[in-house]
Amino acid sequence: MMKDRPAAYKGDQPYIFISYAHKDSDIVLPIIARLQKDGYRVWYDEGIAPGSNWDIYISEHLDQSSVVLGFLSRSYVKSQNCRDELALTRMKSKPVSLVYIDDVQLSPGMKMRYGRIQALFLQSMTEEEFFEKLYQADAMTASRE
């Protein structure tokens, strides 16, 4: 696991909202660090102030984001919080990019809602191929410095 967690974006410019399961931090945090290194503004739950109401804080930051980047895994689909974030993304009609980080089977409901979204499969590409394809997504452009 990364010793130093990347800082979450603070400001009023467009940013990427990261939706992930904490059990996948070893995979997701280095991706966040690379996104930041490459000039993208990224917010994730590291930015939640102590003592804050988690649900309100998450929903406000998801609402203010320009795109949601969801990291789907077996842990993700088991997490009610993660599923709630994707449901809110859909209700708010937010652009979403999905990254499958392991071989996960979506529930029939999730498959119906998200199966049509073009997704990236992290395991099937090199790191450079992954970032090249991710950066091609139109919705990512607004969150770049």
Side-chain angles (χ1 to χ4, degrees):
M1 188 153 145
M2 293 183 68
K3 290 181 182 180
D4 296 320
R5 293 173 64 91
Y9 174 72
K10 294 178 183 173
D12 58 3
Q13 296 295 310
Y15 58 85
I16 301 164
F17 179 100
I18 302 292
S19 179
Y20 73 108
H22 280 205
K23 289 182 180 180
D24 300 323
S25 293
D26 288 350
I27 296 170
V28 175
L29 294 180
I31 293 172
I32 292 171
R34 169 73 184 266
L35 286 165
Q36 291 175 335
K37 178 181 147 298
D38 290 348
Y40 289 86
R41 293 178 292 272
V42 180
W43 189 91
Y44 70 113
D45 59 1
E46 180 70 11
I48 298 177
S52 298
N53 180 308
W54 187 88
D55 289 342
I56 292 172
Y57 215 79
I58 290 289
S59 65
E60 286 175 349
H61 280 81
L62 191 145
D63 194 43
Q64 295 166 10
S65 69
S66 59
V67 62
V68 174
L69 184 54
F71 289 89
L72 300 181
S73 67
R74 289 182 286 278
S75 298
Y76 190 98
V77 298
K78 289 179 185 174
S79 166
Q80 185 63 53
N81 289 334
C82 291
R83 291 192 317 268
D84 287 349
E85 289 171 4
L86 266 188
L88 185 58
T89 298
R90 185 169 181 262
M91 286 181 356
K92 299 278 186 176
S93 298
K94 286 282 179 185
V96 62
S97 290
L98 299 176
V99 177
Y100 287 82
I101 60 177
D102 63 27
D103 188 21
V104 61
Q105 295 298 314
L106 299 181
S107 69
M110 286 185 80
K111 198 178 288 185
M112 181 182 75
R113 288 179 187 93
Y114 305 108
R116 294 183 301 262
I117 295 173
Q118 182 66 32
L120 296 173
F121 294 84
L122 189 62
Q123 308 291 3
S124 69
M125 54 184 79
T126 67
E127 181 179 336
E128 290 310 311
E129 287 172 329
F130 167 74
F131 284 103
E132 182 181 324
K133 290 200 178 284
L134 180 62
Y135 295 164
Q136 289 175 4
D138 290 338
M140 296 288 288
T141 307
S143 58
R144 190 156 192 207
E145 297 176 347

mmCIF file of all heavy atoms in Angstrom, residues 101-141:
data_model
loop_
_atom_site.group_PDB
_atom_site.id
_atom_site.type_symbol
_atom_site.label_atom_id
_atom_site.label_comp_id
_atom_site.label_asym_id
_atom_site.label_seq_id
_atom_site.Cartn_x
_atom_site.Cartn_y
_atom_site.Cartn_z
ATOM 1 N N ILE A 101 -11.264 -3.719 -12.339
ATOM 2 C CA ILE A 101 -9.927 -4.030 -11.831
ATOM 3 C C ILE A 101 -9.764 -5.496 -11.477
ATOM 4 O O ILE A 101 -8.672 -5.932 -11.134
ATOM 5 C CB ILE A 101 -9.533 -3.114 -10.646
ATOM 6 C CG1 ILE A 101 -10.494 -3.244 -9.483
ATOM 7 C CG2 ILE A 101 -9.438 -1.678 -11.119
ATOM 8 C CD1 ILE A 101 -10.099 -2.420 -8.270
ATOM 9 N N ASP A 102 -10.832 -6.254 -11.547
ATOM 10 C CA ASP A 102 -10.740 -7.712 -11.470
ATOM 11 C C ASP A 102 -11.912 -8.314 -12.230
ATOM 12 O O ASP A 102 -12.740 -7.591 -12.772
ATOM 13 C CB ASP A 102 -10.609 -8.234 -10.029
ATOM 14 C CG ASP A 102 -11.803 -7.938 -9.135
ATOM 15 O OD1 ASP A 102 -12.940 -7.788 -9.630
ATOM 16 O OD2 ASP A 102 -11.603 -7.877 -7.910
ATOM 17 N N ASP A 103 -11.957 -9.605 -12.289
ATOM 18 C CA ASP A 103 -12.986 -10.301 -13.054
ATOM 19 C C ASP A 103 -14.259 -10.373 -12.213
ATOM 20 O O ASP A 103 -14.461 -11.317 -11.467
ATOM 21 C CB ASP A 103 -12.503 -11.698 -13.434
ATOM 22 C CG ASP A 103 -13.445 -12.401 -14.380
ATOM 23 O OD1 ASP A 103 -14.236 -11.704 -15.053
ATOM 24 O OD2 ASP A 103 -13.397 -13.638 -14.436
ATOM 25 N N VAL A 104 -15.070 -9.363 -12.324
ATOM 26 C CA VAL A 104 -16.261 -9.242 -11.489
ATOM 27 C C VAL A 104 -17.518 -9.511 -12.317
ATOM 28 O O VAL A 104 -17.580 -9.150 -13.489
ATOM 29 C CB VAL A 104 -16.332 -7.841 -10.829
ATOM 30 C CG1 VAL A 104 -16.417 -6.756 -11.869
ATOM 31 C CG2 VAL A 104 -17.463 -7.731 -9.860
ATOM 32 N N GLN A 105 -18.458 -10.161 -11.696
ATOM 33 C CA GLN A 105 -19.761 -10.378 -12.318
ATOM 34 C C GLN A 105 -20.742 -9.367 -11.721
ATOM 35 O O GLN A 105 -20.937 -9.346 -10.504
ATOM 36 C CB GLN A 105 -20.249 -11.802 -12.037
ATOM 37 C CG GLN A 105 -19.385 -12.867 -12.679
ATOM 38 C CD GLN A 105 -19.377 -12.755 -14.195
ATOM 39 O OE1 GLN A 105 -20.405 -12.587 -14.829
ATOM 40 N NE2 GLN A 105 -18.188 -12.816 -14.776
ATOM 41 N N LEU A 106 -21.327 -8.552 -12.564
ATOM 42 C CA LEU A 106 -22.300 -7.572 -12.094
ATOM 43 C C LEU A 106 -23.638 -8.259 -11.843
ATOM 44 O O LEU A 106 -23.991 -9.220 -12.530
ATOM 45 C CB LEU A 106 -22.484 -6.466 -13.126
ATOM 46 C CG LEU A 106 -21.257 -5.635 -13.482
ATOM 47 C CD1 LEU A 106 -21.638 -4.574 -14.497
ATOM 48 C CD2 LEU A 106 -20.620 -5.012 -12.259
ATOM 49 N N SER A 107 -24.371 -7.731 -10.880
ATOM 50 C CA SER A 107 -25.729 -8.217 -10.648
ATOM 51 C C SER A 107 -26.558 -7.879 -11.882
ATOM 52 O O SER A 107 -26.184 -6.998 -12.673
ATOM 53 C CB SER A 107 -26.328 -7.525 -9.419
ATOM 54 O OG SER A 107 -26.563 -6.153 -9.709
ATOM 55 N N PRO A 108 -27.692 -8.558 -12.083
ATOM 56 C CA PRO A 108 -28.517 -8.236 -13.256
ATOM 57 C C PRO A 108 -28.895 -6.751 -13.327
ATOM 58 O O PRO A 108 -28.880 -6.155 -14.399
ATOM 59 C CB PRO A 108 -29.747 -9.126 -13.075
ATOM 60 C CG PRO A 108 -29.236 -10.299 -12.295
ATOM 61 C CD PRO A 108 -28.211 -9.714 -11.356
ATOM 62 N N GLY A 109 -29.209 -6.140 -12.180
ATOM 63 C CA GLY A 109 -29.565 -4.718 -12.171
ATOM 64 C C GLY A 109 -28.397 -3.835 -12.577
ATOM 65 O O GLY A 109 -28.557 -2.902 -13.367
ATOM 66 N N MET A 110 -27.208 -4.113 -12.037
ATOM 67 C CA MET A 110 -26.029 -3.326 -12.408
ATOM 68 C C MET A 110 -25.675 -3.553 -13.869
ATOM 69 O O MET A 110 -25.280 -2.619 -14.567
ATOM 70 C CB MET A 110 -24.844 -3.672 -11.510
ATOM 71 C CG MET A 110 -24.964 -3.112 -10.105
ATOM 72 S SD MET A 110 -23.482 -3.412 -9.129
ATOM 73 C CE MET A 110 -22.419 -2.112 -9.745
ATOM 74 N N LYS A 111 -25.822 -4.782 -14.332
ATOM 75 C CA LYS A 111 -25.528 -5.093 -15.732
ATOM 76 C C LYS A 111 -26.452 -4.302 -16.648
ATOM 77 O O LYS A 111 -26.030 -3.754 -17.664
ATOM 78 C CB LYS A 111 -25.694 -6.597 -15.969
ATOM 79 C CG LYS A 111 -25.015 -7.089 -17.219
ATOM 80 C CD LYS A 111 -25.170 -8.584 -17.382
ATOM 81 C CE LYS A 111 -24.309 -9.311 -16.367
ATOM 82 N NZ LYS A 111 -24.311 -10.769 -16.549
ATOM 83 N N MET A 112 -27.737 -4.213 -16.266
ATOM 84 C CA MET A 112 -28.696 -3.468 -17.064
ATOM 85 C C MET A 112 -28.330 -1.985 -17.101
ATOM 86 O O MET A 112 -28.386 -1.347 -18.147
ATOM 87 C CB MET A 112 -30.110 -3.625 -16.491
ATOM 88 C CG MET A 112 -31.170 -2.888 -17.291
ATOM 89 S SD MET A 112 -32.810 -3.039 -16.576
ATOM 90 C CE MET A 112 -32.686 -1.935 -15.181
ATOM 91 N N ARG A 113 -27.941 -1.437 -15.967
ATOM 92 C CA ARG A 113 -27.658 -0.002 -15.887
ATOM 93 C C ARG A 113 -26.306 0.380 -16.475
ATOM 94 O O ARG A 113 -26.155 1.454 -17.032
ATOM 95 C CB ARG A 113 -27.718 0.453 -14.430
ATOM 96 C CG ARG A 113 -29.120 0.476 -13.891
ATOM 97 C CD ARG A 113 -29.136 0.916 -12.440
ATOM 98 N NE ARG A 113 -30.457 0.780 -11.883
ATOM 99 C CZ ARG A 113 -30.890 -0.289 -11.230
ATOM 100 N NH1 ARG A 113 -30.087 -1.312 -11.031
ATOM 101 N NH2 ARG A 113 -32.113 -0.346 -10.763
ATOM 102 N N TYR A 114 -25.290 -0.464 -16.295
ATOM 103 C CA TYR A 114 -23.928 -0.062 -16.636
ATOM 104 C C TYR A 114 -23.272 -0.922 -17.705
ATOM 105 O O TYR A 114 -22.169 -0.628 -18.140
ATOM 106 C CB TYR A 114 -23.059 -0.043 -15.369
ATOM 107 C CG TYR A 114 -23.682 0.831 -14.315
ATOM 108 C CD1 TYR A 114 -24.264 0.278 -13.177
ATOM 109 C CD2 TYR A 114 -23.756 2.207 -14.480
ATOM 110 C CE1 TYR A 114 -24.880 1.080 -12.229
ATOM 111 C CE2 TYR A 114 -24.371 3.005 -13.539
ATOM 112 C CZ TYR A 114 -24.928 2.442 -12.419
ATOM 113 O OH TYR A 114 -25.550 3.229 -11.492
ATOM 114 N N GLY A 115 -23.942 -1.971 -18.141
ATOM 115 C CA GLY A 115 -23.370 -2.860 -19.141
ATOM 116 C C GLY A 115 -23.164 -2.211 -20.494
ATOM 117 O O GLY A 115 -22.356 -2.670 -21.294
ATOM 118 N N ARG A 116 -23.894 -1.143 -20.772
ATOM 119 C CA ARG A 116 -23.778 -0.466 -22.066
ATOM 120 C C ARG A 116 -22.661 0.577 -22.085
ATOM 121 O O ARG A 116 -22.325 1.103 -23.139
ATOM 122 C CB ARG A 116 -25.104 0.213 -22.412
ATOM 123 C CG ARG A 116 -26.231 -0.752 -22.655
ATOM 124 C CD ARG A 116 -27.495 -0.025 -23.070
ATOM 125 N NE ARG A 116 -27.941 0.926 -22.061
ATOM 126 C CZ ARG A 116 -28.895 0.677 -21.168
ATOM 127 N NH1 ARG A 116 -29.504 -0.482 -21.172
ATOM 128 N NH2 ARG A 116 -29.249 1.575 -20.298
ATOM 129 N N ILE A 117 -22.122 0.895 -20.909
ATOM 130 C CA ILE A 117 -21.078 1.922 -20.832
ATOM 131 C C ILE A 117 -19.753 1.305 -21.259
ATOM 132 O O ILE A 117 -19.362 0.244 -20.762
ATOM 133 C CB ILE A 117 -20.970 2.482 -19.394
ATOM 134 C CG1 ILE A 117 -22.260 3.216 -19.025
ATOM 135 C CG2 ILE A 117 -19.763 3.412 -19.265
ATOM 136 C CD1 ILE A 117 -22.318 3.659 -17.580
ATOM 137 N N GLN A 118 -19.083 1.966 -22.178
ATOM 138 C CA GLN A 118 -17.762 1.508 -22.592
ATOM 139 C C GLN A 118 -16.847 1.546 -21.373
ATOM 140 O O GLN A 118 -16.742 2.553 -20.691
ATOM 141 C CB GLN A 118 -17.217 2.414 -23.703
ATOM 142 C CG GLN A 118 -15.877 1.995 -24.243
ATOM 143 C CD GLN A 118 -15.937 0.663 -24.960
ATOM 144 O OE1 GLN A 118 -16.944 0.316 -25.557
ATOM 145 N NE2 GLN A 118 -14.864 -0.090 -24.886
ATOM 146 N N ALA A 119 -16.201 0.444 -21.082
ATOM 147 C CA ALA A 119 -15.375 0.333 -19.886
ATOM 148 C C ALA A 119 -13.956 -0.079 -20.250
ATOM 149 O O ALA A 119 -13.696 -0.583 -21.345
ATOM 150 C CB ALA A 119 -15.981 -0.692 -18.930
ATOM 151 N N LEU A 120 -13.052 0.146 -19.304
ATOM 152 C CA LEU A 120 -11.674 -0.298 -19.438
ATOM 153 C C LEU A 120 -11.465 -1.507 -18.534
ATOM 154 O O LEU A 120 -11.990 -1.551 -17.417
ATOM 155 C CB LEU A 120 -10.714 0.822 -19.028
ATOM 156 C CG LEU A 120 -10.752 2.074 -19.888
ATOM 157 C CD1 LEU A 120 -9.880 3.166 -19.272
ATOM 158 C CD2 LEU A 120 -10.298 1.774 -21.291
ATOM 159 N N PHE A 121 -10.687 -2.461 -19.014
ATOM 160 C CA PHE A 121 -10.382 -3.663 -18.244
ATOM 161 C C PHE A 121 -8.895 -3.608 -17.906
ATOM 162 O O PHE A 121 -8.046 -3.921 -18.748
ATOM 163 C CB PHE A 121 -10.763 -4.908 -19.033
ATOM 164 C CG PHE A 121 -12.249 -5.006 -19.248
ATOM 165 C CD1 PHE A 121 -12.865 -4.344 -20.305
ATOM 166 C CD2 PHE A 121 -13.034 -5.719 -18.362
ATOM 167 C CE1 PHE A 121 -14.236 -4.411 -20.486
ATOM 168 C CE2 PHE A 121 -14.416 -5.798 -18.541
ATOM 169 C CZ PHE A 121 -15.019 -5.134 -19.598
ATOM 170 N N LEU A 122 -8.604 -3.175 -16.694
ATOM 171 C CA LEU A 122 -7.234 -2.911 -16.265
ATOM 172 C C LEU A 122 -6.318 -4.107 -16.480
ATOM 173 O O LEU A 122 -5.177 -3.943 -16.914
ATOM 174 C CB LEU A 122 -7.236 -2.494 -14.785
ATOM 175 C CG LEU A 122 -5.932 -1.989 -14.216
ATOM 176 C CD1 LEU A 122 -5.476 -0.726 -14.925
ATOM 177 C CD2 LEU A 122 -6.083 -1.711 -12.730
ATOM 178 N N GLN A 123 -6.800 -5.305 -16.200
ATOM 179 C CA GLN A 123 -5.972 -6.510 -16.280
ATOM 180 C C GLN A 123 -5.547 -6.850 -17.703
ATOM 181 O O GLN A 123 -4.592 -7.589 -17.899
ATOM 182 C CB GLN A 123 -6.718 -7.714 -15.679
ATOM 183 C CG GLN A 123 -7.268 -7.498 -14.302
ATOM 184 C CD GLN A 123 -6.180 -7.391 -13.228
ATOM 185 O OE1 GLN A 123 -5.001 -7.423 -13.508
ATOM 186 N NE2 GLN A 123 -6.603 -7.266 -11.984
ATOM 187 N N SER A 124 -6.247 -6.321 -18.697
ATOM 188 C CA SER A 124 -5.979 -6.726 -20.084
ATOM 189 C C SER A 124 -5.084 -5.762 -20.846
ATOM 190 O O SER A 124 -4.923 -5.905 -22.059
ATOM 191 C CB SER A 124 -7.304 -6.894 -20.840
ATOM 192 O OG SER A 124 -7.918 -5.632 -21.022
ATOM 193 N N MET A 125 -4.497 -4.791 -20.154
ATOM 194 C CA MET A 125 -3.652 -3.824 -20.856
ATOM 195 C C MET A 125 -2.469 -3.412 -19.994
ATOM 196 O O MET A 125 -2.495 -3.571 -18.781
ATOM 197 C CB MET A 125 -4.466 -2.613 -21.315
ATOM 198 C CG MET A 125 -5.260 -1.911 -20.255
ATOM 199 S SD MET A 125 -6.276 -0.549 -20.892
ATOM 200 C CE MET A 125 -7.650 -1.429 -21.580
ATOM 201 N N THR A 126 -1.477 -2.862 -20.657
ATOM 202 C CA THR A 126 -0.329 -2.341 -19.912
ATOM 203 C C THR A 126 -0.743 -1.038 -19.225
ATOM 204 O O THR A 126 -1.777 -0.438 -19.563
ATOM 205 C CB THR A 126 0.863 -2.043 -20.847
ATOM 206 O OG1 THR A 126 0.518 -0.946 -21.704
ATOM 207 C CG2 THR A 126 1.254 -3.268 -21.663
ATOM 208 N N GLU A 127 0.083 -0.596 -18.305
ATOM 209 C CA GLU A 127 -0.196 0.659 -17.604
ATOM 210 C C GLU A 127 -0.317 1.820 -18.582
ATOM 211 O O GLU A 127 -1.243 2.628 -18.483
ATOM 212 C CB GLU A 127 0.919 0.936 -16.587
ATOM 213 C CG GLU A 127 0.716 2.204 -15.802
ATOM 214 C CD GLU A 127 1.805 2.449 -14.781
ATOM 215 O OE1 GLU A 127 2.462 1.486 -14.352
ATOM 216 O OE2 GLU A 127 1.999 3.625 -14.403
ATOM 217 N N GLU A 128 0.594 1.905 -19.534
ATOM 218 C CA GLU A 128 0.562 3.009 -20.499
ATOM 219 C C GLU A 128 -0.664 2.932 -21.399
ATOM 220 O O GLU A 128 -1.275 3.958 -21.708
ATOM 221 C CB GLU A 128 1.853 3.058 -21.317
ATOM 222 C CG GLU A 128 3.056 3.495 -20.497
ATOM 223 C CD GLU A 128 2.821 4.772 -19.693
ATOM 224 O OE1 GLU A 128 2.323 5.781 -20.257
ATOM 225 O OE2 GLU A 128 3.134 4.768 -18.489
ATOM 226 N N GLU A 129 -1.036 1.737 -21.828
ATOM 227 C CA GLU A 129 -2.254 1.574 -22.638
ATOM 228 C C GLU A 129 -3.471 2.022 -21.847
ATOM 229 O O GLU A 129 -4.362 2.700 -22.383
ATOM 230 C CB GLU A 129 -2.444 0.113 -23.048
ATOM 231 C CG GLU A 129 -1.491 -0.366 -24.114
ATOM 232 C CD GLU A 129 -1.593 -1.864 -24.359
ATOM 233 O OE1 GLU A 129 -1.906 -2.634 -23.416
ATOM 234 O OE2 GLU A 129 -1.369 -2.264 -25.502
ATOM 235 N N PHE A 130 -3.517 1.654 -20.569
ATOM 236 C CA PHE A 130 -4.641 2.031 -19.713
ATOM 237 C C PHE A 130 -4.784 3.547 -19.644
ATOM 238 O O PHE A 130 -5.863 4.088 -19.900
ATOM 239 C CB PHE A 130 -4.466 1.449 -18.306
ATOM 240 C CG PHE A 130 -5.411 2.041 -17.302
ATOM 241 C CD1 PHE A 130 -6.760 1.695 -17.311
ATOM 242 C CD2 PHE A 130 -4.974 2.958 -16.358
ATOM 243 C CE1 PHE A 130 -7.648 2.259 -16.409
ATOM 244 C CE2 PHE A 130 -5.849 3.510 -15.450
ATOM 245 C CZ PHE A 130 -7.189 3.163 -15.472
ATOM 246 N N PHE A 131 -3.708 4.244 -19.315
ATOM 247 C CA PHE A 131 -3.810 5.699 -19.177
ATOM 248 C C PHE A 131 -4.083 6.375 -20.513
ATOM 249 O O PHE A 131 -4.848 7.342 -20.582
ATOM 250 C CB PHE A 131 -2.557 6.274 -18.493
ATOM 251 C CG PHE A 131 -2.553 6.033 -17.015
ATOM 252 C CD1 PHE A 131 -1.775 5.037 -16.459
ATOM 253 C CD2 PHE A 131 -3.376 6.778 -16.180
ATOM 254 C CE1 PHE A 131 -1.788 4.799 -15.088
ATOM 255 C CE2 PHE A 131 -3.401 6.551 -14.804
ATOM 256 C CZ PHE A 131 -2.606 5.557 -14.269
ATOM 257 N N GLU A 132 -3.517 5.869 -21.582
ATOM 258 C CA GLU A 132 -3.788 6.436 -22.905
ATOM 259 C C GLU A 132 -5.277 6.353 -23.222
ATOM 260 O O GLU A 132 -5.888 7.329 -23.669
ATOM 261 C CB GLU A 132 -2.969 5.698 -23.959
ATOM 262 C CG GLU A 132 -3.147 6.253 -25.361
ATOM 263 C CD GLU A 132 -2.330 5.476 -26.393
ATOM 264 O OE1 GLU A 132 -1.213 5.044 -26.075
ATOM 265 O OE2 GLU A 132 -2.847 5.320 -27.518
ATOM 266 N N LYS A 133 -5.874 5.195 -23.006
ATOM 267 C CA LYS A 133 -7.306 5.026 -23.282
ATOM 268 C C LYS A 133 -8.161 5.855 -22.327
ATOM 269 O O LYS A 133 -9.145 6.465 -22.732
ATOM 270 C CB LYS A 133 -7.690 3.556 -23.224
ATOM 271 C CG LYS A 133 -7.133 2.756 -24.386
ATOM 272 C CD LYS A 133 -7.897 1.482 -24.563
ATOM 273 C CE LYS A 133 -7.382 0.701 -25.729
ATOM 274 N NZ LYS A 133 -7.796 1.222 -27.010
ATOM 275 N N LEU A 134 -7.791 5.870 -21.046
ATOM 276 C CA LEU A 134 -8.545 6.643 -20.065
ATOM 277 C C LEU A 134 -8.559 8.121 -20.438
ATOM 278 O O LEU A 134 -9.600 8.773 -20.386
ATOM 279 C CB LEU A 134 -7.946 6.445 -18.668
ATOM 280 C CG LEU A 134 -8.624 7.189 -17.525
ATOM 281 C CD1 LEU A 134 -10.071 6.725 -17.354
ATOM 282 C CD2 LEU A 134 -7.835 6.988 -16.234
ATOM 283 N N TYR A 135 -7.431 8.642 -20.842
ATOM 284 C CA TYR A 135 -7.328 10.065 -21.161
ATOM 285 C C TYR A 135 -8.054 10.437 -22.450
ATOM 286 O O TYR A 135 -8.284 11.607 -22.724
ATOM 287 C CB TYR A 135 -5.865 10.492 -21.222
ATOM 288 C CG TYR A 135 -5.137 10.387 -19.895
ATOM 289 C CD1 TYR A 135 -3.755 10.417 -19.844
ATOM 290 C CD2 TYR A 135 -5.827 10.250 -18.688
ATOM 291 C CE1 TYR A 135 -3.080 10.328 -18.635
ATOM 292 C CE2 TYR A 135 -5.166 10.154 -17.485
ATOM 293 C CZ TYR A 135 -3.783 10.195 -17.458
ATOM 294 O OH TYR A 135 -3.120 10.104 -16.262
ATOM 295 N N GLN A 136 -8.432 9.454 -23.243
ATOM 296 C CA GLN A 136 -9.195 9.729 -24.466
ATOM 297 C C GLN A 136 -10.669 10.010 -24.185
ATOM 298 O O GLN A 136 -11.366 10.541 -25.047
ATOM 299 C CB GLN A 136 -9.088 8.547 -25.429
ATOM 300 C CG GLN A 136 -7.727 8.407 -26.051
ATOM 301 C CD GLN A 136 -7.606 7.153 -26.902
ATOM 302 O OE1 GLN A 136 -8.562 6.412 -27.088
ATOM 303 N NE2 GLN A 136 -6.414 6.908 -27.422
ATOM 304 N N ALA A 137 -11.141 9.670 -22.999
ATOM 305 C CA ALA A 137 -12.553 9.887 -22.669
ATOM 306 C C ALA A 137 -12.844 11.385 -22.638
ATOM 307 O O ALA A 137 -12.158 12.146 -21.963
ATOM 308 C CB ALA A 137 -12.880 9.253 -21.316
ATOM 309 N N ASP A 138 -13.858 11.797 -23.384
ATOM 310 C CA ASP A 138 -14.218 13.223 -23.470
ATOM 311 C C ASP A 138 -14.434 13.844 -22.088
ATOM 312 O O ASP A 138 -14.042 14.962 -21.831
ATOM 313 C CB ASP A 138 -15.482 13.409 -24.304
ATOM 314 C CG ASP A 138 -15.250 13.124 -25.768
ATOM 315 O OD1 ASP A 138 -14.087 13.185 -26.231
ATOM 316 O OD2 ASP A 138 -16.243 12.843 -26.462
ATOM 317 N N ALA A 139 -15.084 13.110 -21.207
ATOM 318 C CA ALA A 139 -15.439 13.664 -19.902
ATOM 319 C C ALA A 139 -14.211 13.956 -19.036
ATOM 320 O O ALA A 139 -14.288 14.746 -18.102
ATOM 321 C CB ALA A 139 -16.381 12.711 -19.162
ATOM 322 N N MET A 140 -13.085 13.342 -19.340
ATOM 323 C CA MET A 140 -11.881 13.552 -18.531
ATOM 324 C C MET A 140 -11.240 14.910 -18.803
ATOM 325 O O MET A 140 -10.591 15.475 -17.931
ATOM 326 C CB MET A 140 -10.855 12.449 -18.825
ATOM 327 C CG MET A 140 -11.302 11.051 -18.450
ATOM 328 S SD MET A 140 -11.337 10.775 -16.682
ATOM 329 C CE MET A 140 -9.587 10.727 -16.332
ATOM 330 N N THR A 141 -11.430 15.446 -19.988
ATOM 331 C CA THR A 141 -10.758 16.673 -20.417
ATOM 332 C C THR A 141 -11.018 17.849 -19.485
ATOM 333 O O THR A 141 -10.107 18.608 -19.157
ATOM 334 C CB THR A 141 -11.189 17.042 -21.851
ATOM 335 O OG1 THR A 141 -10.982 15.912 -22.676
ATOM 336 C CG2 THR A 141 -10.410 18.212 -22.380
#
